[in-house]
Amino acid sequence: MTLPVVEAQPQELLGELYVDDHWQAALAAVMNAEGDTTQASTAVEKLAATATHRTGLTFKIPASCPPLQLTAAEEQLKDSMKMLKDCNHIIGTSGNIHFHRDD
């Protein structure tokens, strides 16, 4: 696999959130391994371990839309809560259930 092909993949995935400087060490580690998957994996694992121990570092990959299963499960839960409340199986407030997504 050539470097331009490897570089294109995170660019396509992250779109305008892609920052070239953030990926150069990982890309160099993989390309310098020259086909040795064990060496490449070890190098990337070291970079990942270093990155995850940096305070304030956040990985955020935005979802284009919520998964259909999640949306369906939320609706089913809301419907079930309403049905239980309507049948007087929930007396008083039904508690606070908040669905949070980073859309």
Side-chain angles (χ1 to χ4, degrees), residues 5-102:
V5 172
V6 173
E7 285 180 327
Q9 291 176 352
Q11 288 173 352
E12 288 174 15
L13 178 67
L14 297 174
E16 63 186 41
L17 298 175
Y18 176 83
V19 178
D20 187 61
D21 290 344
H22 296 175
W23 287 89
Q24 287 308 306
L27 293 171
V30 170
M31 296 310 288
N32 290 340
E34 295 182 7
D36 183 344
T37 56
T38 303
Q39 181 183 353
S41 179
T42 301
V44 170
E45 286 173 12
K46 283 182 184 178
L47 290 169
T50 301
T52 57
H53 288 93
R54 289 180 57 193
T55 58
L57 183 65
T58 302
F59 291 98
K60 184 175 180 182
I61 301 175
S64 58
C65 63
L68 294 177
Q69 283 182 313
L70 176 60
T71 302
E74 287 176 357
E75 289 304 314
Q76 287 177 340
L77 180 58
K78 288 177 188 177
D79 292 344
S80 295
M81 296 283 292
K82 183 182 179 326
M83 184 182 71
L84 289 170
K85 181 79 172 167
D86 291 346
C87 294
N88 293 323
H89 291 287
I90 297 178
I91 300 169
T93 60
S94 58
N96 294 328
I97 297 177
H98 299 283
F99 297 103
H100 175 73
R101 281 192 221 117
D102 268 349

